[in-house]
Amino acid sequence: MSANKMFNFLNNGVACVIGGFILCLSFASDFSYPNINSYLTSYMRSTGYNPTLSYADFIFVSGTKNLLQGASMPFIGSLARRLGTRTSIALGFMIYSLGFGLTYFTVQYWFPLAILSLSCHAIGFSFAYATAIRAAQMWFSQERKGLVGSIVIAGYGFGSMFWVPIQTQFVNPDNIDAEVDPNCTYIGTNDEELCDFYFVDEKILSRIPWMFGLLGVIFLVMGFIAWLLISEPTSQVKEMEMQVTEKNLEPNEDISEDSYDDECSLTPTQVIKTLVFYQIWFGFFSITLTNGLLNNYSKTFGLTFINDDHYYANLAILLNILNGSCRIFWGLVYDRIGYKKCFCVIAVAVTVATSTLPLLPYIGTDTQLVKVCYGLWMAVLYSTFPGVFSLLAGCITDAFGPAHYQANFGLIFSITVAYFAVIVPMTQIEVIYSGLGYIGMFSVGGVFGVVGLVATFFMPSDLRSQRFTRFGVDLK
């Protein structure tokens, strides 16, 4: 390959990674769900259509999105492979931005309509997310796939570093406090901190529909920029890359892993017959459940003892710096020590931190100490659990091969069906919800963290070698 062609090859690969990063950055609105929950629920209670709506009901927004995402990804993943990278990316970002734009209208009426419009996120995600990761990884060698995938996925983590402050500054620039629910049975008692707090200021409420319209336009512009940058190498480019690889190898070096990668790939029907699939599935499910609890309830839980909207917006900036940077960190570590060791470290940290969150209100109410402790707990969680998405991006290829990447990626995301089956009874069956409260919900998250840790502990350390052995390929 000439120097000029090599330069163009590297430029295209870097551009694809940057495009994937921008795309994931735009799709990261679900990491601002705690913030959106406080605004959307407060507004929809005031319209006259949903007077009894509560923060607990927001689980239908996140749950429907996750359920639809999990159910659609295996099929849309296969469709995206046939449509091609650029068509899939275009469909993904247009459907996603359209959903947020429509929420300007749906939020003014019945809650189920808002659920439907925001659930467009799931369909757009299914077209774009795994497609962008796979496209970026195709430009680089096997040794860099963990890092490359994690840089793309880091956009998802860094997203709410922008979205939460933008939402808060647009909706509540004066940092007006939320007010206690007047219908709460604990008002006037020593347990008043157990009540939910809602925004009722008219100026705040009037800006909330426009917030969704603004976000829809921003996501559309970012998606178009990403679409311009993302591509995948042609077969001719791949051949030139292999020629360079061969020339740089010593005579006794082995290049058989890369050459066998595609032909040693498992189809989705083969994947679901492997034990490793279910071990990855249970591990990912355990962390996703914790992630879901934090996404939906970390702010509303915090408001019971820290009633300061700008505190959460400022904290969100730090947390999402950690959210994005830790994905790159865990991608680098994955390339060195593999999936099993990385996941076990993450699972221990997430389980301990989630299980002890309910202790924070006992420190005090609106004090500096409790703000520091809450921020510290969130920092531990956002430095660890987002890393599983980087691990997943790498281990899908290592365990099952690259040929059916999007569809196999979608199979793992079927965990959202189980997530929905667990989270809905916890939040919507009154006897269970009132019995659990925030303390019980976070404790349940800790229990599932242990389940995921145990499932992963018994996995093989080298996922690629096990895959090649399955096909009778000896790389030694």
Side-chain angles (χ1 to χ4, degrees), residues 395-440:
C395 81
I396 296 297
T397 300
D398 283 346
F400 311 127
H404 304 278
Y405 185 82
Q406 291 110 311
N408 291 338
F409 204 102
L411 286 178
I412 297 295
F413 267 80
S414 65
I415 57 99
T416 54
V417 177
Y419 164 84
F420 199 71
V422 172
I423 204 79
V424 168
M426 284 173 57
T427 58
Q428 298 304 313
I429 298 177
E430 183 59 32
V431 174
I432 299 176
Y433 180 68
S434 59
L436 288 174
Y438 289 119
I439 294 175

Side-chain angles (χ1 to χ4, degrees), residues 76-154:
I76 291 180
S78 295
L79 176 62
R81 184 168 177 257
R82 293 193 293 271
L83 291 175
T85 296
R86 290 175 61 78
T87 301
S88 299
I89 296 296
L91 285 171
F93 82 77
M94 287 191 289
I95 292 170
Y96 171 54
S97 55
L98 176 64
F100 264 81
L102 288 175
T103 306
Y104 167 84
F105 301 101
T106 60
V107 77
Q108 300 179 49
Y109 298 101
W110 294 278
F111 184 55
L113 295 178
I115 294 174
L116 289 175
S117 61
L118 288 174
S119 293
C120 289
H121 188 164
I123 301 299
F125 181 95
S126 295
F127 273 108
Y129 184 72
T131 302
I133 296 169
R134 180 177 180 272
Q137 288 180 332
M138 288 176 70
W139 287 98
F140 297 90
S141 67
Q142 172 64 37
E143 290 72 23
R144 293 187 178 91
K145 289 190 186 297
L147 174 61
V148 170
S150 68
I151 293 174
V152 173
I153 294 170

